[in-house]
Amino acid sequence: MIKKMKGTYDIVKDTPRFRAVEKAIHTLARLFNLEEIRTPHFEASELFHRSVGEETDIVGKETYDFFDRGGRKITLRPEGTAGVVRSYIENKLHAEAKNPQKYYYYGSMFRYERPQKGRTREFRQFGIEIFGSKDPSVDVEIIACAVLFLRMLKITDFAVHINSLGGEESKKNYEKALKEHIRPHLETLCADCNRRFEKNPLRILDCKKDTEHDALQNAPHPIDALTEEDREHFESVREILQSMDIDHIVDHRLVRGLDYYTHTVFEIKDTLEALGSQDTLCGGGRYDYLVENLGGPPTPAAGFSFGIERLLLTLEALEFTPKRAPLHLYLLSIGEKAKKKTPALAHKLRLQGVTTETDLVGRGIKAQFKQSEHTAARFVGIVGDAELEKGIVTLKDQNTGTEEEVAFENIAATIAEKIKQDRRDCDTCPERKGE
Ligand code: HAM
């Protein structure tokens, strides 16, 4: 038997929860007036090397790279930002009058990581990217958007961690301070840290092996290396967040695992302990030089991505189980004549929006009744010779057990009215309140 690949999984029983999250994504996008963008699942490898960064774990150890049959070096996207920026430049979206331009995306990403709870090799991200403004209000807008998304999903056990890396000058100041601090400890740090010391010292703070090493524990804070202007930017961000009652923790060790960040970086951690060690639900921040570094005009930008699987694990721990919308009608037929007529009747009803199932196996009447129970249809419609002659269906209300004869042309309206009534009756019932 051919089995699924390590680190992948099938979504079958969990689709209602997925759909609830997807619905929330599109509702949130409307609230913030975000435009949807869909980019390819694979891109030229160089795109990720030049954006995410050569020395990051993602590019160094985790990408799915291959040559296609035309000899092109290709990578399955490990994240969404690089592709969106490539598309922004290639499609000259910067030339549009609207500013800032705000996009969102949802889809699969691929990283060759060691699978564990909350970490898979194919996973889904929902992300937003805002281009065109360096104002602190954008940093706030992305954090507020991420927080609102969690609130919409009724997730309240989370903590917002933020930090600032500053602009080019501040980052250089920090790299210098960090190198001075790390230099005396180099001999006791791992080979990766030693290589990164020369090439990209900030990445030393990401080291998984030496995370408890004194040199890393006592490393200087990026905030202390900020220029006056960058410090003010960060203070404004915090001030506006406070005015919005968005609690946040300044996390001095937060630098993020991708190279393109500048100024504000943030992560939202689950505090419900539903995720074990993979507790970061969302990560993001500013990346003011990435558009320019990839060949576009200088364009400040900021964004975030949520890991959808981690959200689903959290929702599962909260016992959030959205119900599938019930089937409206199971149409069963008695006798050969009715059997031949039922598909056409079902077809007409579906055209009128009635969700309908019929017997596709050739079952007898008893077995059809049994099936109708398995489908949990709200109504059962019985079509026999007598009904055909009169042009009606015997419609059985499965909630009350009552039966009535309804003319073919009135079935859709009758069902629609009863379902409307169900909703009215249910407005105050606990299931509906908890939706
Ligand atoms: P990231 O921190 O690499 O950032 O990923 C964002 C989120 O994706 C993580 O917080 C996590 O929830 C989820 N995630 C990452 N890897 C896995 C995995 N192997 N399995 C399951 N979930 C995973 C980015 O990707 C940036 N592009 C975010 C961003 C957008 N920054 C600016 N704009």
Side-chain angles (χ1 to χ4, degrees), residues 80 285 320 379 411:
F320 171 73
F379 296 92
I411 301 172

Side-chain angles (χ1 to χ4, degrees), residues 79 81 111 113 118 120 125 129 256 260-261 280-281 303 305 307:
E79 59 104 53
T81 310
R111 295 185 193 177
E113 292 194 86
T120 46
Q125 280 188 346
E129 312 293 350
R256 307 272 302 127
Y260 47 64
Y261 290 108
T280 309
L281 293 167
S305 303

Side-chain angles (χ1 to χ4, degrees), residues 39 43-54 59 79-92 94 129 131 168 258-261 287-301:
T39 62
E43 300 268 1
S45 301
E46 193 195 346
L47 176 67
F48 303 109
H49 286 250
R50 278 177 51 192
S51 55
V52 175
E54 299 279 356
V59 165
E79 59 104 53
T81 310
V84 172
V85 172
R86 194 246 340 114
S87 169
Y88 180 80
I89 299 167
E90 194 167 345
N91 294 302
K92 297 198 171 40
H94 43 81
E129 312 293 350
F131 296 95
E168 226 156 5
L258 304 91
D259 277 354
Y260 47 64
Y261 290 108
Y287 50 93
D288 282 349
Y289 309 115
L290 183 58
V291 177
E292 195 176 351
N293 288 344
L294 290 177
T299 311

Side-chain angles (χ1 to χ4, degrees), residues 133-141 232-233 236-237 240 286:
S133 168
K134 56 181 189 206
D135 198 80
S137 57
V138 170
D139 311 41
V140 173
E141 178 125 319
E232 273 170 24
H233 181 100
S236 298
V237 171
I240 310 173
R286 254 194 188 282

Side-chain angles (χ1 to χ4, degrees), residues 67-72:
F67 287 97
D68 73 4
R69 288 169 197 272
R72 300 171 192 89

